[in-house]
Amino acid sequence: SITMASEAVAVLLLVFLSGSTFGIKLEGNGYTDVLIAINPVVPENPLLIKRIKDMVSDASSVLFTATEGKFYFEEITILVPPNWSQGDYGRTKTETYEKANIVINEENRAYGDQPYTLQYGQCGSESRYTHLTTKFMLDDELIKLYGPRGKVLVHEWAHLRWGVYDENDDGGFYMEPKIVIPGVKKGYTWNQKGFSYGDSRRTFLEPFFLRVYAVFLNCIILSFDKLLFMYTLKVTRFCSKKTHNREAPNAQNRMCDNRDVMDVIFTSSVDAKANVQPLKGPHPAPRFTVMQRGQRVVCLVLDVSGSMHGSRILQQQQAASLFLTTIVEDNSYVGIVTFTNYATTLKPLTVIHREESRTQLVNYLPVEAIGGTDICKGLKKGFEELCKDNGNTMGDEIILLTDGESELDCVSEVKESGAIVNTIALGPSANKELKRMSEISGGKYFYASDNLDQTELVNVFASLTTTNGDFTHQTILLDSSGMKRKGILNGTVSVDHTVGNKTTFLVLHESQSPEDIEIKSPSGQIYDFIDFQPSSISKTHSLVIQGTAETGDWTYTIKNTLSDQSITITITSRAVSEAIPPVTVKAYMSQQSIDGSKPMLVYAEVNQKGVPVILADVMATLESDAGDQYQLELLDNGAGADAFRNDGIYSRFFTTSKKGRYNLKVKVQRKDKGKNNGQVRLKRHSVAPYVPGYVIKGKSPIVMNPPKPPFSEDDLQDDVGSFTRTAIGESFSVSLPPDLNAEIEEDKVMLTWTAPGEDMDQGTADSYEIRVSMDLEALRGNFSGAHLMNTSDIQPLEAGSTEEYSFLSSYIINAEPETVMFFAVRSRDKDSLMSDMSNVAKATKMLRFVPFVQTTSTSTISQYPSPNLKRSSGSNVVAVVVSVIGTTAVIIAVLVVSRMRLNRPGNTPHFTETQVSTSLL
């Protein structure tokens, strides 16, 4: 069905224009909301800010030229660390380090100071981020190695925004045809085999420019020039079909089916539907804003309406308790608000500075539920509390949990607040507009079932961390599991040497306490029931391991043999020290809504400070609000959905025909595998090419750079031992696949499709927009420019119903035989918001022939005037005429061969003359 408008706001604005979940917007020809974030390990340095601005300004001009005047950088936000204090920095809104498109950080072992972009795969898909180091930004000597910063940034932007790939990878540099290099001794040329002079090969310069910058995807038009103090490439534009070398052995051709960069940008990338025209005149200079995120300020806005009574209010209390005692960071401010058909402040903003403050907040969590539901009143009360620290809500957070379906008439207020609203929909009846509200505020959206034996809600609260790029102070979810029956719940969780501080075992139960709990350390130390801290109100038992937890396998056993009840256990920990970064896992879906138009992929990124962790067992669990559950083993083998083998990014395709909301949980385990244990990069992602040499202006000879340090897997070996991690991804939705169908019966065109809803598959659409074209690509590329059908008499049916619409073909044009028509539909909601375009349906009015008439007269072909075909919206008259002539020729050939076979007395062919009469009806 056609995705409905309210959902389409998120898809259209946040995906097609703003770059999926990454925040980048394309407004006209300029990119806005580009976020560059500096890691807190970087010392405060005003020069770094200046260098960032200079780099982007230079890159904007390079980008403008390389894309033939279509794109430039317009608005850039620079996010500085919270510990910087010397500058006059503005206050952030929804900008956070984890949302950064470009990060400035110290070098890591996998890349050193080489700029790179983390690409998950799939040509045309946006990448996660671009990584630049402080040394790259401040040390001009690195310009000799990688080229001017502006050009490097544009090179990486092509990977980041458009999902194109390098052409200077392990397949080797391939340049064609020969290029004469000014400034080098006359007669020397360079081709794919190296420098040469006439017929004599000169190998002394063979490494020069071998992995040179050009490789701006090897297919750009390039020339050499003395620029500044070094040889570099003057980039004029990205390659097109005319300039692309489809034979070059490189990643661009392998990953993008031998397509050129311009083709990927304008047909497959996130900017493909923008229909950007070249800018007339010069582009404006970029505008910069330097901002700083303050201490975390968050308000829990919790639903206590009557529908939350019983198990739901208990689940809410247990999950919120975990958040307050373990997850929320020290020195954060936290408040608690509840709502029914009115809202109440249970606890004003309180700073987290000791365990006592955490316990105090837990004691204020609600335990009773009664009354109606008004989500907006709860949000407004939350905003009131957030204002009490500094008078505004900019950059503050709301964590909203509700199971209700109340009206959401405060979406505009949420957007204007500048606060980040993370929403949790508990159970199948929660308002589906919550997803839209989270997206427009820069927050996250989660769906959690209300089954007590599941750990979904606890896992969601465990994932609501915020980070400035320093994972050493962040709580990490190691494992969670549960059961709903009498019996024994047991399992094993591995604690590796990168974690171990504040390791916590939290047991949740539904009614009476379990009979016994036993935790056994790797050395055999036993922690039993008496070591746990109980809470009769929240029905929890918690154990915090003092000091640093032992490295190795911990086992747990929970005995519950007296009653059928839900029992769950959740294990969390923190980094062992600030000097050792922990192994982390991030879970993602390739898109937040599936409509059947393109495949959905599940990703899990496993690394230790940018260095991938390989050879892990990764299992993804996806569960819908209808209870459908799917388990997928994610792979890192370089096949199928996985782009690169052993890069620490595990992936798999996810397909389903069952609509609804889905949640995502990824569990990663790794057992000690002897000498193969550890982490290693066997395949690097897209990187800035290394320039082997340069020329000082006005001087010769060429100055060679030091050889690029060889890449060694041994440098990346790090025995992390056995470990366990669990990660939660944002929830996503599956809508009905596009199913528009078109048929022609005599002179009538019949269109049928499944009715969408006001919100995806819920409610009723307000109206439809149907357009038709004789040109398939014109309809796909410019829906609004196609012929508009009159649909004023159509009253949309309820979601899921079958819609039918018919009309005479002459209503569009004088549709002659063999006329091909293409149709597409969009739906509109009550706020006049449009959905995405449906699939394109094709209808053809076919030719019909009269029977053949045999005679004994001279062979002739009756000639009839060509049909009076009228051109409309790109109709292809020539194709129709050729089709008619071709069809007639085939008929003649068939008749001749048939007669030859029927009248053959021997080996001598014998012809019977016939007359073939055709008629177009």
Side-chain angles (χ1 to χ4, degrees):
S1 67
I2 308 144
T3 309
M4 197 44 215
S6 59
E7 185 68 19
V9 171
V11 176
L12 187 61
L13 296 181
L14 296 176
V15 177
F16 295 145
L17 297 184
S18 69
S20 188
T21 59
F22 306 100
I24 300 171
K25 294 184 178 65
L26 177 61
E27 298 183 355
N29 297 79
Y31 288 110
T32 65
D33 289 10
V34 180
L35 181 59
I36 301 177
I38 302 172
N39 193 279
V41 300
V42 177
E44 187 165 7
N45 187 345
L47 178 59
L48 180 58
I49 302 295
K50 181 180 183 302
R51 287 290 175 85
I52 292 173
K53 293 180 179 179
D54 292 342
M55 174 184 67
V56 175
S57 297
D58 293 342
S60 188
S61 297
V62 175
L63 180 65
F64 188 73
T65 302
T67 58
E68 300 176 340
K70 291 186 177 180
F71 301 117
Y72 63 91
F73 294 117
E74 184 171 347
E75 292 183 357
I76 309 293
T77 298
I78 302 172
L79 181 63
V80 303
N83 56 352
W84 284 26
S85 59
Q86 299 175 14
D88 183 16
Y89 310 121
R91 177 76 182 269
T92 58
K93 297 179 182 177
T94 62
E95 299 86 358
T96 62
Y97 185 91
E98 61 187 351
K99 297 177 184 177
N101 313 111
I102 301 166
V103 297
I104 311 295
N105 200 352
E106 60 185 6
E107 67 176 63
N108 63 39
R109 291 178 298 161
Y111 295 92
D113 289 305
Q114 187 173 27
Y116 72 90
T117 298
L118 183 63
Q119 286 185 273
Y120 275 19
Q122 303 303 310
C123 179
S125 298
E126 285 183 288
S127 304
R128 294 307 304 175
Y129 59 81
T130 291
H131 185 281
L132 307 175
T133 67
T134 312
K135 186 175 181 181
F136 171 78
M137 296 301 303
L138 298 177
D139 188 350
D140 289 343
E141 289 297 307
L142 267 66
I143 295 178
K144 301 175 184 178
L145 303 181
Y146 302 112
R149 297 184 186 96
K151 289 186 176 180
V152 171
L153 180 59
V154 174
H155 177 94
E156 299 307 318
W157 182 263
H159 303 309
L160 177 72
R161 180 67 177 178
W162 302 316
V164 296
Y165 283 82
D166 279 327
E167 301 211 13
N168 63 323
D169 64 350
D170 294 339
F173 182 81
Y174 188 95
M175 185 180 288
E176 184 184 42
K178 293 181 179 180
I179 294 179
V180 177
I181 305 176
V184 179
K185 186 174 180 180
K186 186 176 181 180
Y188 280 93
T189 58
W190 170 263
N191 59 21
Q192 62 266 34
K193 297 180 180 180
F195 271 100
S196 63
Y197 183 80
D199 295 329
S200 301
R201 177 71 50 202
R202 296 291 189 270
T203 60
F204 68 100
L205 287 178
E206 189 162 338
F208 187 60
F209 285 117
L210 187 58
R211 295 198 176 269
V212 79
Y213 195 77
V215 198
F216 232 115
L217 311 167
N218 180 348
C219 51
I220 54 176
I221 297 176
L222 32 100
S223 65
F224 288 87
D225 189 13
K226 290 180 180 179
L227 185 63
L228 299 177
F229 57 89
M230 61 171 289
Y231 265 104
T232 185
L233 289 169
K234 180 188 258 183
V235 178
T236 58
R237 63 178 184 269
F238 287 113
C239 67
S240 62
K241 290 182 180 179
K242 293 182 179 180
T243 56
H244 178 58
N245 183 353
R246 296 168 56 90
E247 300 176 3
N250 54 46
Q252 170 66 14
N253 281 331
R254 289 197 306 271
M255 298 297 297
C256 298
D257 296 326
N258 303 92
R259 297 162 60 199
D260 60 271
V261 175
M262 284 294 201
D263 182 40
V264 174
I265 294 173
F266 294 108
T267 64
S268 301
S269 78
V270 71
D271 296 324
K273 295 190 177 183
N275 195 28
V276 174
Q277 300 302 314
L279 189 67
K280 296 180 180 179
H283 64 86
R287 300 189 300 273
F288 297 92
T289 303
V290 183
M291 309 186 81
Q292 185 177 47
R293 191 158 196 82
Q295 209 61 46
R296 187 179 189 186
V297 181
V298 58
C299 185
L300 302 182
V301 178
L302 307 177
D303 190 344
V304 292
S305 61
S307 58
M308 289 288 294
H309 180 72
S311 63
R312 288 181 179 175
I313 196 72
L314 176 61
Q315 284 191 80
Q316 177 176 261
Q317 185 187 37
Q318 291 174 335
S321 295
L322 172 70
F323 177 78
L324 296 173
T325 59
T326 306
I327 305 301
V328 67
E329 298 79 7
D330 293 334
N331 301 315
S332 299
Y333 287 83
V334 181
I336 302 174
V337 164
T338 60
F339 66 92
T340 57
N341 45 13
Y342 60 91
T344 304
T345 298
L346 295 188
K347 183 63 175 173
L349 290 179
T350 301
V351 64
I352 304 291
H353 56 84
R354 290 190 302 269
E355 291 303 317
E356 291 79 5
S357 58
R358 294 178 182 271
T359 303
Q360 185 184 44
L361 282 163
V362 169
N363 291 337
Y364 277 90
L365 289 172
V367 295
E368 296 181 351
I370 188 172
T373 306
D374 192 325
I375 296 173
C376 285
K377 285 187 178 178
L379 288 170
K380 292 174 183 178
K381 178 62 71 172
F383 293 149
E384 287 179 18
E385 291 304 316
L386 293 177
C387 285
K388 291 180 180 179
D389 66 325
N390 62 357
N392 65 69
T393 59
M394 288 293 180
D396 296 340
E397 291 178 70
I398 292 280
I399 296 177
L400 169 67
L401 186 151
T402 181
D403 69 344
E405 295 184 346
S406 74
E407 289 293 325
L408 283 176
D409 55 4
C410 55
V411 174
S412 60
E413 295 177 55
V414 169
K415 184 176 181 180
E416 293 168 2
S417 73
I420 300 170
V421 179
N422 302 298
T423 59
I424 305 168
L426 180 61
S429 300
N431 194 318
K432 293 178 174 60
E433 283 287 305
L434 294 171
K435 183 175 188 291
R436 175 188 172 196
M437 188 171 62
S438 287
E439 289 171 332
I440 66 172
S441 69
K444 297 178 180 180
Y445 169 79
F446 301 94
Y447 162 75
S449 70
D450 51 2
N451 295 324
L452 280 171
D453 59 325
Q454 300 295 321
T455 58
E456 294 171 9
L457 190 59
V458 169
N459 293 341
V460 167
F461 271 94
S463 70
L464 290 172
T465 58
T466 185
T467 179
N468 56 14
D470 181 6
F471 291 100
T472 61
H473 294 94
Q474 181 174 306
T475 298
I476 296 171
L477 179 60
L478 301 186
D479 196 12
S480 64
S481 60
M483 69 176 186
K484 188 174 184 178
R485 57 179 171 80
K486 293 179 183 179
I488 296 176
L489 176 64
N490 53 31
T492 301
V493 60
S494 299
V495 176
D496 58 280
H497 73 81
T498 69
V499 296
N501 277 343
K502 204 177 179 180
T503 302
T504 303
F505 293 80
L506 177 66
V507 177
L508 310 176
H509 59 92
E510 182 179 359
S511 54
Q512 66 185 61
S513 296
E515 300 150 59
D516 192 23
I517 306 174
E518 181 182 282
I519 307 295
K520 186 178 180 179
S521 74
S523 65
Q525 183 177 353
I526 302 295
Y527 301 85
D528 57 22
F529 199 87
I530 197 172
D531 297 308
F532 280 77
Q533 181 69 37
S535 170
S536 58
I537 298 176
S538 60
K539 295 182 172 56
T540 64
H541 294 266
S542 62
L543 169 67
V544 180
I545 305 300
Q546 299 301 310
T548 302
E550 292 179 43
T551 299
D553 290 343
W554 290 68
T555 61
Y556 57 85
T557 303
I558 305 172
K559 186 178 181 181
N560 174 55
T561 60
L562 298 180
S563 64
D564 286 326
Q565 66 167 335
S566 296
I567 298 287
T568 65
I569 183 170
T570 301
I571 304 103
T572 60
S573 190
R574 291 190 179 185
V576 67
S577 74
E578 293 185 0
I580 301 177
V583 173
T584 59
V585 177
K586 296 180 181 179
Y588 303 100
M589 300 301 296
S590 61
Q591 49 189 323
Q592 291 303 304
S593 179
I594 307 176
D595 61 5
S597 61
K598 56 183 177 180
M600 178 73 110
L601 289 88
V602 188
Y603 293 116
E605 177 188 340
V606 189
N607 69 65
Q608 183 190 22
K609 199 180 179 180
V611 179
V613 175
I614 66 169
L615 306 178
D617 297 318
V618 182
M619 184 65 66
T621 301
L622 305 99
E623 185 170 355
S624 75
D625 51 8
D628 301 307
Q629 189 177 98
Y630 304 83
Q631 286 197 327
L632 298 174
E633 182 184 4
L634 307 188
L635 304 176
D636 188 17
N637 59 0
D642 191 63
F644 300 113
R645 177 177 178 269
N646 286 348
D647 65 349
I649 297 173
Y650 301 75
S651 55
R652 201 68 178 265
F653 287 112
F654 172 62
T655 57
T656 180
S657 60
K658 296 184 178 181
K659 62 185 179 182
R661 294 172 297 179
Y662 285 73
N663 55 42
L664 168 64
K665 175 182 177 180
V666 170
K667 185 172 182 177
V668 181
Q669 291 183 304
R670 199 173 192 285
K671 299 299 181 182
D672 195 339
K673 300 180 180 179
K675 65 179 181 179
N676 291 325
N677 187 46
Q679 45 192 350
V680 60
R681 174 177 294 278
L682 297 180
K683 177 67 181 180
R684 294 184 180 222
H685 286 263
S686 299
V687 296
Y690 185 87
V691 180
Y694 62 97
V695 170
I696 300 175
K697 187 175 181 179
K699 296 184 179 181
S700 120
I702 294 172
V703 178
M704 301 302 295
N705 285 321
K708 184 178 180 179
F711 172 72
S712 173
E713 297 177 3
D714 295 334
D715 295 338
L716 299 179
Q717 292 289 344
D718 184 13
D719 185 5
V720 298
S722 299
F723 69 86
T724 306
R725 295 290 188 275
T726 299
I728 305 301
E730 283 193 67
S731 297
F732 61 97
S733 58
V734 177
S735 61
L736 295 173
D739 62 350
L740 178 66
N741 182 61
E743 294 181 356
I744 295 181
E745 299 176 359
E746 296 182 350
D747 290 329
K748 181 183 292 186
V749 179
M750 174 69 74
L751 299 180
T752 58
W753 67 93
T754 301
E758 176 74 12
D759 177 23
M760 295 194 65
D761 58 354
Q762 301 293 314
T764 304
D766 187 70
S767 62
Y768 294 117
E769 179 182 345
I770 303 176
R771 292 186 182 270
V772 60
S773 176
M774 307 302 139
D775 188 323
L776 173 62
E777 294 306 320
L779 181 61
R780 284 176 173 170
N782 185 16
F783 175 82
S784 298
H787 180 80
L788 178 65
M789 305 295 297
N790 182 3
T791 59
S792 59
D793 58 337
I794 301 181
Q795 294 298 319
L797 301 176
E798 186 178 355
S801 305
T802 299
E803 299 276 20
E804 295 184 353
Y805 178 60
S806 62
F807 55 90
L808 294 176
S809 59
S810 59
Y811 175 82
I812 309 172
I813 58 170
N814 183 15
E816 298 291 348
E818 199 61 20
T819 298
V820 180
M821 293 174 280
F822 299 97
F823 299 88
V825 184
R826 293 196 309 183
S827 54
R828 180 185 291 108
D829 73 359
K830 61 184 178 182
D831 297 321
S832 297
L833 299 174
M834 300 301 301
S835 74
D836 195 10
M837 187 182 79
S838 71
N839 63 299
V840 176
K842 174 184 176 182
T844 306
K845 190 169 184 179
M846 301 299 295
L847 281 165
R848 289 191 296 166
F849 294 92
V850 299
F852 300 113
V853 180
Q854 274 188 259
T855 71
T856 56
S857 61
T858 304
S859 178
T860 62
I861 298 179
S862 299
Q863 301 296 322
Y864 286 83
S866 298
N868 181 25
L869 298 175
K870 295 184 179 181
R871 184 182 300 272
S872 176
S873 299
S875 58
N876 195 335
V877 176
V878 175
V880 175
V881 174
V882 170
S883 176
V884 172
I885 295 173
T887 303
T888 304
V890 170
I891 293 171
I892 295 173
V894 170
L895 288 174
V896 170
V897 172
S898 299
R899 297 299 299 175
M900 289 173 62
R901 290 180 177 177
L902 291 173
N903 297 291
R904 184 183 305 171
N907 293 328
T908 304
H910 174 76
F911 295 92
T912 298
E913 295 179 342
T914 63
Q915 180 186 43
V916 179
S917 176
T918 63
S919 176
L920 295 175
L921 299 180

